[in-house]
């Protein structure tokens, strides 16, 4: 019975990850908050690694859904060569965007884990960036996007988006949230901002997962392997649905609803821990 309960906890965390990884509401923040109430019976070291590596399942959903856009090769024809150079250029821009976050993560990851993985910090980040989404979207009503497609994103724009992504190292911020806000501010359309966020998430999450696995070590018990596998599979399946929903939603709506959600959740979290 205990094993079934632990498995259900992993499934629930996989669902939370699959939903929150792509919506700009902070997957790490939600995972840490859920852990306050539904704690897995694992070591702290494994839990810290699990909360990052489970995101690989969500990333595989992006790879599946955007494979044609992400894979830089194709069958050679009379009109096209075997290499899609526009896709190669996009990946080079993604590399440029990854540089700021990679540097900051390597320098401050241990400090962030030790001092900022708290409900108060998460709640504050939820509220602050919730307000930011509402303000930016209201400001955007009178603006016309300068960048409407992935191909129009320059190396300079990619680097600026990467600088905004650095903010996501603080729990509760949201990787997709910080990059989307940054992209909107510098004139990228919602659809292009979301798609670039998907591209950017692939190397970032693979890199972070490898980093966490190296810190944890590659020695797992059978239970730990099952836990990781189940979490990743559930996150993958839920992410497929959520990504399709998000891409359909933002073609007709803005991101303000996510801003209001963040504010309400942040206030609830602050109230709960203040009264606890």
């Amino acid at each position: 019975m205990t094993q079934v309960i632990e498995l259900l906890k992993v499934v629930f965390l996989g669902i939370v990850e699959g939903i929150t990884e792509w919506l700009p509401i902070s997957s790490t923040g939600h995972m840490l908050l859920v852990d306050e109430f539904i704690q897995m019976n694992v070591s702290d070291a494994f839990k810290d690694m699990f909360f990052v590596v489970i995101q690989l399942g969500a990333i595989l959903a992006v790879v599946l859904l955007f494979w044609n856009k992400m894979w830089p090769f194709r069958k050679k024809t009379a009109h096209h060569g075997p290499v899609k150079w526009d896709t190669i250029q996009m990946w080079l821009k993604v590399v440029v965007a990854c540089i700021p976050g990679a540097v900051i993560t390597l320098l401050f990851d241990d400090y962030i884990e030790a001092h900022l993985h708290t409900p108060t910090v998460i709640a504050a980040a939820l509220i602050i960036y919730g307000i930011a989404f509402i303000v930016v979207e209201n400001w955007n009503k009178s603006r016309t996007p300068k960048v409407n497609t992935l191909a129009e994103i320059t190396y300079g724009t990619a680097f600026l988006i990467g600088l905004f992504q650095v903010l996501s190292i603080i729990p509760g911020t949201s990787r997709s949230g910080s990059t989307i806000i940054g992209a909107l501010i510098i004139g990228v359309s919602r659809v292009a901002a979301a798609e670039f966020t998907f591209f950017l998430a692939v190397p970032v999450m693979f890199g972070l997962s490898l980093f966490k696995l190296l810190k944890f070590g590659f020695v797992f018990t059978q239970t730990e392997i099952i836990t990781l596998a189940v979490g990743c599979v559930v996150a993958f399946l839920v992410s497929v649905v959520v990504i399709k929903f998000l891409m359909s939603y933002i073609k007709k709506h803005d991101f303000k609803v996510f801003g209001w959600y963040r504010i309400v959740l942040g206030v609830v979290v602050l109230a709960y821990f203040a009264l606890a």
Side-chain angles (χ1 to χ4, degrees):
M1 187 62 181
T2 301
Q3 291 179 334
V4 173
I5 292 174
E6 289 300 312
L7 191 60
L8 288 174
K9 291 179 183 178
V10 175
V11 169
F12 183 75
L13 286 167
I15 293 172
V16 172
E17 165 59 27
I19 294 173
T20 60
E21 181 63 39
W22 306 113
L23 303 182
I25 55 178
S26 178
S27 62
T28 301
H30 277 75
M31 297 284 276
L32 291 172
L33 289 174
V34 169
D35 183 58
E36 289 286 332
F37 305 99
I38 303 176
Q39 297 193 356
M40 295 189 298
N41 187 24
V42 296
S43 67
D44 290 339
F46 177 82
K47 185 188 300 181
D48 175 59
M49 179 272 297
F50 173 82
F51 282 173
V52 174
V53 176
I54 191 179
Q55 297 176 25
L56 284 179
I59 295 303
L60 291 177
V62 166
V63 174
L64 172 69
L65 294 174
F66 289 86
W67 178 256
N68 289 333
K69 285 189 175 183
M70 291 185 169
W71 185 244
F73 304 105
R74 63 190 164 199
K75 186 177 180 180
K76 185 177 180 180
T77 66
H79 302 288
H80 301 288
V83 178
K84 294 187 286 186
W85 292 108
D86 55 340
T87 305
I88 296 290
Q89 285 193 3
M90 179 51 59
W91 280 117
L92 291 175
K93 294 170 187 175
V94 167
V95 170
V96 169
C98 286
I99 292 172
V103 172
I104 297 301
T105 298
L106 288 172
L107 291 176
F108 297 105
D109 183 66
D110 288 339
Y111 178 86
I112 295 295
E113 284 183 15
H115 300 282
L116 298 185
H117 281 210
T118 67
T120 302
V121 171
I122 293 170
L126 285 168
I127 294 170
I128 290 170
Y129 288 96
I131 294 171
F133 261 117
I134 295 169
V135 170
V136 170
E137 284 289 19
N138 285 336
W139 177 53
N140 260 348
K141 285 183 179 179
S142 60
R143 301 171 70 220
T144 301
K146 300 176 183 177
V147 178
N148 291 289
T149 66
L150 282 176
E152 294 175 9
I153 294 176
T154 65
Y155 285 96
T157 300
F159 184 75
L160 288 174
I161 293 174
L163 289 176
F164 277 97
Q165 185 186 233
V166 170
L167 299 171
S168 68
I169 194 171
I170 300 173
T173 298
S174 170
R175 187 173 300 101
S176 62
S178 60
T179 53
I180 288 172
I181 285 178
L184 293 177
I185 288 174
I186 59 182
V188 180
S189 70
R190 292 188 193 95
V191 173
E195 288 188 349
F196 190 74
T197 297
F198 295 153
F199 268 81
L200 188 55
V202 174
V204 167
M205 290 317 307
F206 273 114
L208 277 175
S209 295
L210 179 60
F211 179 61
K212 292 293 185 179
L213 284 169
L214 288 172
K215 286 180 68 175
F216 179 78
F218 288 89
V219 180
F220 300 94
T221 65
Q222 183 179 10
T223 300
E224 289 173 340
I225 292 173
I226 293 173
T227 298
L228 273 177
V230 170
C232 286
V233 169
V234 174
F236 167 79
L237 295 173
V238 175
S239 289
V240 170
V241 177
V242 172
I243 292 169
K244 289 182 177 180
F245 159 77
L246 180 63
M247 294 310 296
S248 174
Y249 178 86
I250 61 176
K251 290 177 181 178
K252 299 178 181 179
H253 305 86
D254 59 29
F255 286 101
K256 284 195 289 186
V257 65
F258 301 114
W260 287 113
Y261 170 82
R262 292 176 64 103
I263 292 170
V264 171
L265 179 62
V267 170
V268 169
V269 170
L270 284 177
Y272 174 82
F273 285 98
L275 298 173

